[in-house]
Amino acid sequence: NNKFDEIVLPNDFKYFCGGCANCILKGEDKCPHYKEVKSIVERIEKADLIILATPVFVGSCTGSMKALLDHLAYMWLVHRPKASMFNKIGLIITTAGGSGVKQTTKLLKSNLFYLGVPKTYNYGVTTMKMGGNYIDYKDKDKIKKQVTKKANTIKKNLNNVKVGFKTKFFFKIFGMTQKNGWNKTDSNYWKQEGWLDGKKPF
């Protein structure tokens, strides 16, 4: 049986990033919201599939979704990526009353890529409907079939994740950056992981 761990925003995480960069420059434990971020990161690391679901708000994801992603900047490939992220699959789900699905999907997909997730699927729906009750939405059966097909594809590939050339390329480039020691907190992390000596997280 599949188990789901749902994080509802902003209920489960209500903090905005203040841009202090402490997480990057000094360590994630120096973030003012470290305790709350740590709890969510631990839950993400346990997952095989990461689903980011958001309606489109003014051409982008919700503010609460962006606020959470901002707090994960220290985990980007260029800084201190988590080895566990390289064997996960991502799924972006977006809905919009009008435009914005494409750019919102692109933003979230980019975030998962830089967090190390090697494969991300997406499903977006433009309803041309804002507010109200969606129970009688005319295309709901069509959407159900499309989602079922997408879910089956993901399930088939869930335990067969391969890191692609793009991820390997960026990992190598950022490894060269770490050898230059621009940020000691990052470079020390890479050294401890053995990544500057040829070891790889994938």
Side-chain angles (χ1 to χ4, degrees):
N1 293 333
N2 297 321
K3 294 182 180 179
F4 292 87
D5 185 356
E6 188 176 20
I7 297 169
V8 180
L9 303 174
N11 293 8
D12 295 332
F13 189 82
K14 57 186 177 182
Y15 304 96
F16 283 93
C17 173
C20 66
N22 281 342
C23 64
I24 294 172
L25 299 176
K26 300 178 181 179
E28 60 268 30
D29 58 328
K30 299 300 187 291
C31 171
H33 315 128
Y34 171 66
K35 182 179 178 182
E36 293 78 11
V37 175
K38 182 174 182 288
S39 174
I40 289 180
V41 170
E42 287 174 349
R43 292 161 70 180
I44 290 174
E45 284 203 87
K46 291 178 182 177
D48 297 312
L49 171 67
I50 300 173
I51 303 173
L52 299 183
T54 178
V56 175
F57 278 15
V58 198
S60 188
C61 64
T62 63
S64 53
M65 174 69 78
K66 185 62 169 61
L68 174 59
L69 293 174
D70 287 345
H71 281 82
L72 304 183
Y74 74 93
M75 288 171 51
W76 273 34
L77 291 175
V78 69
H79 297 299
R80 302 189 301 281
K82 299 278 189 180
S84 63
M85 301 299 284
F86 293 92
N87 54 26
K88 300 183 186 303
I89 285 180
L91 171 61
I92 309 299
I93 299 176
T94 52
T95 60
S99 63
V101 164
K102 187 175 180 179
Q103 57 262 43
T104 301
T105 299
K106 184 178 179 181
L107 169 68
L108 298 182
K109 210 167 185 178
S110 176
N111 269 266
L112 287 183
F113 170 79
Y114 284 108
L115 285 169
V117 178
K119 177 65 177 177
T120 298
Y121 295 88
N122 60 274
Y123 182 76
V125 177
T126 300
T127 63
M128 299 307 294
K129 178 180 174 70
M130 297 178 70
N133 192 331
Y134 285 80
I135 293 176
D136 299 321
Y137 181 58
K138 62 183 177 65
D139 290 325
K140 67 177 183 178
D141 291 333
K142 176 183 174 183
I143 291 173
K144 187 175 181 179
K145 288 179 182 179
Q146 291 173 340
V147 169
T148 299
K149 184 178 179 181
K150 182 78 68 173
N152 288 334
T153 299
I154 293 172
K155 188 175 181 180
K156 188 187 302 181
N157 295 309
L158 202 55
N159 297 314
N160 188 31
V161 185
K162 295 180 180 179
V163 175
F165 171 79
K166 185 179 177 182
T167 299
K168 291 178 179 178
F169 175 77
F170 274 87
F171 184 83
K172 185 173 182 179
I173 293 297
F174 294 144
M176 292 168 62
T177 302
Q178 297 308 334
K179 285 183 179 180
N180 292 330
W182 174 77
N183 175 18
K184 287 185 177 180
T185 304
D186 289 347
S187 58
N188 287 340
Y189 175 84
W190 281 63
K191 287 177 184 176
Q192 289 169 8
E193 294 294 321
W195 296 343
L196 298 184
D197 299 317
K199 185 179 176 183
K200 295 180 177 63
F202 41 78

